[in-house]
Amino acid sequence: MALILNWPSRACRFLAAFSFALAALGVNISTNSLSAANDFTALFPQFVSIRKGQLLCVVIAWAVLPWKLLASAGTFLNFMAAYAVFLGPIAATMLFDFWVVHVRKYDTLALYTYNGIYKHYHGLNWRAFVTFLAGVAPNMPGFIHGVNRDADVGVGVRPYQFGWLLGFTITTVFYVGLEKIFPPRETFIERAVLPDEIYERHGQSEGVRVEGFKAWNELARCELS
């Protein structure tokens, strides 16, 4: 941007700035609205498609008052720091579940089957839920102070200063520990079942139930539409 300011032509400066704005808009739409749409589709697959989920994200986004978040650099940085408090535990759960607990062996078809092996207890893996709370809890006093500077939380603000790393570490220890003490044995399989294998064999994969293949195809069609 500093280089563009030195260009003599106002038209060139406008086009360069416009390209930056367009790129930022496109990146945010693709990374934020699509991820939200995937979550809405997973929660309500019978009612919400990817396209409807994106439109729902646009409507709900107004509730967080984005113009206030961007009112100043300090407010925006506080928001990003608070955002990281929740991302650390989520990243730890996803990372260590795939690489350590299940050793890269996922049944892709079962992930999209309602009564599959990953349903756990009424669709909730209580181990992940407990460890998420454990990873977020130490950062909550600092989070409250970050949102409201008038709140006196004492030394509670210090863990918040490295909140992502602290949440990631605590969640890792708790999650791996609970998975070892209370292992979900039904989720452990001998080999990974990949999407390409399911499509090539039309749902007839060794050691894999085929009743979920129809749901898999329906989900793929929804995403394409």
Side-chain angles (χ1 to χ4, degrees), residues 79-95 132 135-136 139 163-165 167-168 171:
F79 169 74
M80 294 302 295
Y83 194 61
V85 167
F86 302 99
L87 290 182
I90 294 175
T93 302
M94 296 175 63
L95 180 65
F132 176 79
V136 171
N139 294 310
W164 191 96
L165 184 60
F168 183 92
T171 301

Coordinates of all heavy atoms in Angstrom, one line a residue, residues 79-95 132 135-136 139 163-165 167-168 171:
F79 N -10.9 -8.4 19.7 CA -11.8 -9.4 19.1 C -11.0 -10.6 18.6 O -11.4 -11.7 18.8 CB -12.6 -8.8 18.0 CG -13.4 -9.8 17.2 CD1 -14.5 -10.4 17.7 CD2 -12.9 -10.1 15.9 CE1 -15.2 -11.3 16.9 CE2 -13.6 -11.0 15.1 CZ -14.8 -11.6 15.7
M80 N -9.9 -10.3 17.9 CA -9.1 -11.4 17.4 C -8.5 -12.2 18.5 O -8.4 -13.5 18.4 CB -8.0 -10.8 16.4 CG -8.6 -10.2 15.2 SD -9.6 -11.3 14.2 CE -8.4 -12.5 13.7
A81 N -8.0 -11.6 19.5 CA -7.5 -12.3 20.7 C -8.5 -13.2 21.3 O -8.2 -14.3 21.7 CB -6.9 -11.3 21.7
A82 N -9.7 -12.6 21.5 CA -10.8 -13.4 22.1 C -11.2 -14.6 21.2 O -11.5 -15.7 21.7 CB -12.0 -12.5 22.3
Y83 N -11.1 -14.4 19.9 CA -11.5 -15.4 19.0 C -10.5 -16.6 19.1 O -10.9 -17.8 19.0 CB -11.4 -14.8 17.6 CG -12.0 -15.7 16.5 CD1 -13.4 -16.0 16.5 CD2 -11.2 -16.1 15.4 CE1 -13.9 -16.7 15.5 CE2 -11.8 -16.8 14.4 CZ -13.1 -17.2 14.4 OH -13.7 -17.9 13.4
A84 N -9.2 -16.3 19.3 CA -8.2 -17.3 19.4 C -8.4 -18.2 20.7 O -7.9 -19.3 20.7 CB -6.8 -16.7 19.5
V85 N -9.0 -17.6 21.7 CA -9.2 -18.4 22.9 C -10.0 -19.7 22.6 O -9.8 -20.7 23.2 CB -9.9 -17.5 24.0 CG1 -10.5 -18.3 25.1 CG2 -9.0 -16.5 24.5
F86 N -11.0 -19.5 21.7 CA -11.8 -20.7 21.4 C -11.3 -21.6 20.3 O -11.6 -22.7 20.2 CB -13.2 -20.2 21.0 CG -13.9 -19.4 22.0 CD1 -13.9 -18.0 22.0 CD2 -14.6 -19.9 23.1 CE1 -14.5 -17.2 22.9 CE2 -15.2 -19.2 24.1 CZ -15.2 -17.8 24.0
L87 N -10.4 -21.0 19.5 CA -9.8 -21.7 18.4 C -8.8 -22.7 18.8 O -8.6 -23.8 18.3 CB -9.3 -20.8 17.3 CG -10.3 -20.0 16.5 CD1 -9.5 -19.1 15.5 CD2 -11.3 -20.9 15.8
G88 N -8.0 -22.3 19.9 CA -7.0 -23.2 20.4 C -7.5 -24.6 20.8 O -7.0 -25.6 20.3
P89 N -8.5 -24.7 21.7 CA -9.0 -26.0 22.1 C -9.6 -26.8 20.9 O -9.5 -28.0 20.8 CB -10.1 -25.6 23.1 CG -9.6 -24.3 23.7 CD -9.0 -23.6 22.5
I90 N -10.3 -26.1 20.0 CA -10.8 -26.8 18.8 C -9.7 -27.4 18.0 O -9.8 -28.5 17.5 CB -11.7 -25.8 18.0 CG1 -12.9 -25.4 18.8 CG2 -12.2 -26.5 16.7 CD1 -13.8 -24.3 18.1
A91 N -8.7 -26.6 17.7 CA -7.6 -27.1 16.9 C -6.9 -28.3 17.6 O -6.5 -29.3 16.9 CB -6.6 -26.0 16.7
A92 N -6.7 -28.2 18.9 CA -6.1 -29.3 19.6 C -6.9 -30.6 19.5 O -6.4 -31.7 19.2 CB -5.9 -29.0 21.0
T93 N -8.2 -30.5 19.6 CA -9.1 -31.7 19.6 C -9.0 -32.3 18.2 O -8.9 -33.5 18.0 CB -10.5 -31.3 19.9 OG1 -10.6 -30.7 21.2 CG2 -11.4 -32.5 19.9
M94 N -9.1 -31.5 17.1 CA -9.1 -32.0 15.8 C -7.8 -32.6 15.4 O -7.7 -33.7 14.8 CB -9.4 -30.9 14.8 CG -10.8 -30.3 14.9 SD -11.1 -28.9 13.9 CE -11.0 -29.6 12.3
L95 N -6.7 -32.0 15.8 CA -5.4 -32.4 15.5 C -5.0 -33.7 16.1 O -4.6 -34.7 15.5 CB -4.3 -31.3 15.9 CG -2.9 -31.6 15.5 CD1 -2.7 -31.7 14.0 CD2 -2.0 -30.6 16.1
F132 N -13.0 -29.2 25.8 CA -13.1 -27.8 25.3 C -13.4 -26.8 26.5 O -12.8 -25.7 26.5 CB -14.3 -27.8 24.3 CG -14.6 -26.4 23.8 CD1 -13.8 -25.8 22.8 CD2 -15.6 -25.6 24.3 CE1 -14.1 -24.5 22.4 CE2 -15.9 -24.4 23.9 CZ -15.2 -23.8 22.9
G135 N -10.2 -26.2 28.3 CA -9.2 -25.4 27.6 C -9.6 -23.9 27.6 O -8.8 -23.0 27.6
V136 N -10.9 -23.6 27.6 CA -11.4 -22.3 27.6 C -11.5 -21.6 29.0 O -11.2 -20.4 29.1 CB -12.8 -22.2 26.9 CG1 -13.4 -20.8 27.0 CG2 -12.7 -22.6 25.5
N139 N -8.9 -19.0 30.5 CA -8.8 -17.8 29.7 C -10.1 -16.9 29.9 O -10.1 -15.7 29.4 CB -8.6 -18.0 28.2 CG -7.3 -18.7 28.0 OD1 -6.3 -18.3 28.4 ND2 -7.4 -19.8 27.2
G163 N -3.4 -17.0 25.4 CA -4.6 -17.8 25.5 C -4.6 -19.0 24.5 O -5.0 -20.1 24.9
W164 N -4.2 -18.7 23.2 CA -4.3 -19.8 22.3 C -3.4 -21.0 22.7 O -3.8 -22.1 22.6 CB -3.9 -19.3 20.9 CG -4.2 -20.2 19.8 CD1 -5.3 -20.2 19.0 CD2 -3.4 -21.3 19.3 NE1 -5.2 -21.3 18.1 CE2 -4.1 -22.0 18.3 CE3 -2.2 -21.9 19.7 CZ2 -3.6 -23.1 17.6 CZ3 -1.7 -23.0 19.1 CH2 -2.4 -23.6 18.0
L165 N -2.2 -20.7 23.0 CA -1.2 -21.7 23.4 C -1.7 -22.5 24.6 O -1.6 -23.7 24.7 CB 0.2 -21.1 23.5 CG 1.3 -22.1 23.8 CD1 1.4 -23.1 22.7 CD2 2.6 -21.4 24.0
G167 N -4.8 -22.7 25.9 CA -6.0 -23.5 25.6 C -5.6 -24.8 24.8 O -6.1 -25.9 25.0
F168 N -4.7 -24.6 23.8 CA -4.3 -25.8 23.0 C -3.6 -26.8 23.9 O -3.9 -28.0 23.7 CB -3.3 -25.3 21.9 CG -2.9 -26.3 21.0 CD1 -3.6 -26.5 19.8 CD2 -1.7 -27.1 21.2 CE1 -3.1 -27.5 18.9 CE2 -1.3 -28.1 20.3 CZ -2.0 -28.3 19.2
T171 N -6.2 -28.5 26.5 CA -7.1 -29.4 25.7 C -6.4 -30.7 25.3 O -7.0 -31.8 25.3 CB -7.7 -28.6 24.6 OG1 -8.4 -27.5 25.0 CG2 -8.7 -29.5 23.8

